[in-house]
Amino acid sequence: MFLADCQARLAFDLLGNTWNAVVLWSLRHGPRRPGRLREEIGGISTKVLTETLRRLEYNGLVTRHAYAEAPPRVEYELTELGRSLLGPVGAVGEWAFAHADEVMEAQDSWTDPPS
Amino acid sequence: MFLADCQARLAFDLLGNTWNAVVLWSLRHGPRRPGRLREEIGGISTKVLTETLRRLEYNGLVTRHAYAEAPPRVEYELTELGRSLLGPVGAVGEWAFAHADEVMEAQDSWTDPPS
């Protein structure tokens, strides 16, 4: 059971935080400044974006480039490892796009949802 | 940004609970009794397995069949919807198998991990 082991847990934990997946996905076309990421994503606060980028960096999925300009410029970019996660993230996203309505219908059919 | 919407959040929330993915995956070959699932998965308590199956049922991914035998027999089976999630779950699992070591190496390289 390859899924029961701690490697798989690590991956599902990473993706269980939806912001991780969203920010990773929004970096798929190349390096981005945080301000541009916020615009493209929509509905993410500066604080949450900063925390998410820090977490992705910690997990080796994103690198931070700081340029000594005036004003200082910072960009984030996917690492090769981060790029390798785009396929699985895309697969989950496509599934959600196609099937989330069915899940919500199923949920609505219950009068006694599990906690 | 298809990933920022609530459909995608639903999917990543489902997979963020690793047991959901593990139990879903362990039903890929057909209907199973809970006892057999426990044996095949390993390291899952009866309580957690029961809760997980109930959650998967609630989300329309699994159906429960109760047979009026003596002793009563209960089996769980993937729905078509549950089956459709095997691909994305497999993609994440394969990624984890190939790359989790790199993530852990990256984590170990930090002296000040994010909370």
Side-chain angles (χ1 to χ4, degrees):
Chain A
M1 268 307 300
F2 76 92
L3 278 170
D5 62 23
C6 99
Q7 295 173 321
R9 184 149 317 156
L10 180 149
F12 287 109
D13 283 352
L14 272 177
L15 298 183
N17 184 320
T18 310
W19 285 125
N20 287 351
V22 169
V23 172
L24 190 95
W25 189 254
S26 66
L27 285 167
R28 70 194 180 287
H29 294 310
R32 289 283 185 276
R33 302 166 68 154
R36 171 124 182 238
L37 281 177
R38 276 197 67 199
E39 281 171 27
E40 290 185 0
I41 293 171
I44 188 170
S45 69
T46 304
K47 180 170 180 287
V48 169
L49 178 60
T50 303
E51 286 168 356
T52 305
L53 286 166
R54 183 132 190 261
R55 210 161 43 228
L56 293 174
E57 204 186 350
Y58 170 67
N59 286 288
L61 302 169
V62 153
T63 46
R64 181 180 184 276
H65 303 285
Y67 298 93
E69 300 171 0
R73 184 162 59 99
V74 172
E75 284 187 345
Y76 289 87
E77 186 177 15
L78 290 180
T79 60
E80 199 181 330
L81 182 61
R83 194 156 284 284
S84 72
L85 191 49
L86 288 176
V89 165
V92 175
E94 276 176 35
W95 182 88
F97 191 73
H99 296 291
D101 290 353
E102 295 166 65
V103 173
M104 285 185 272
E105 267 174 42
Q107 291 175 349
D108 287 343
S109 72
W110 293 81
T111 51
D112 178 27
S115 55
Chain B
M1 269 305 300
F2 77 93
L3 278 171
D5 63 25
C6 98
Q7 296 173 323
R9 184 151 317 156
L10 181 149
F12 287 109
D13 282 352
L14 272 176
L15 298 183
N17 183 319
T18 311
W19 285 124
N20 287 351
V22 169
V23 172
L24 190 97
W25 189 253
S26 66
L27 285 167
R28 71 194 180 287
H29 293 311
R32 288 285 186 275
R33 302 168 67 155
R36 172 124 182 239
L37 281 176
R38 275 197 67 198
E39 282 172 29
E40 289 185 1
I41 293 170
I44 188 170
S45 69
T46 303
K47 181 170 178 289
V48 168
L49 177 61
T50 303
E51 288 167 354
T52 305
L53 287 166
R54 184 132 189 262
R55 210 161 42 228
L56 292 174
E57 205 187 351
Y58 170 67
N59 287 289
L61 302 169
V62 153
T63 47
R64 180 179 184 276
H65 304 286
Y67 300 93
E69 300 171 359
R73 183 161 60 97
V74 172
E75 285 188 346
Y76 289 87
E77 187 177 14
L78 291 180
T79 60
E80 201 182 327
L81 183 61
R83 195 157 283 284
S84 72
L85 192 49
L86 288 176
V89 166
V92 175
E94 277 175 33
W95 182 87
F97 191 73
H99 296 290
D101 289 355
E102 295 166 64
V103 174
M104 286 184 274
E105 266 173 43
Q107 290 175 351
D108 287 345
S109 71
W110 294 80
T111 51
D112 178 28
S115 54

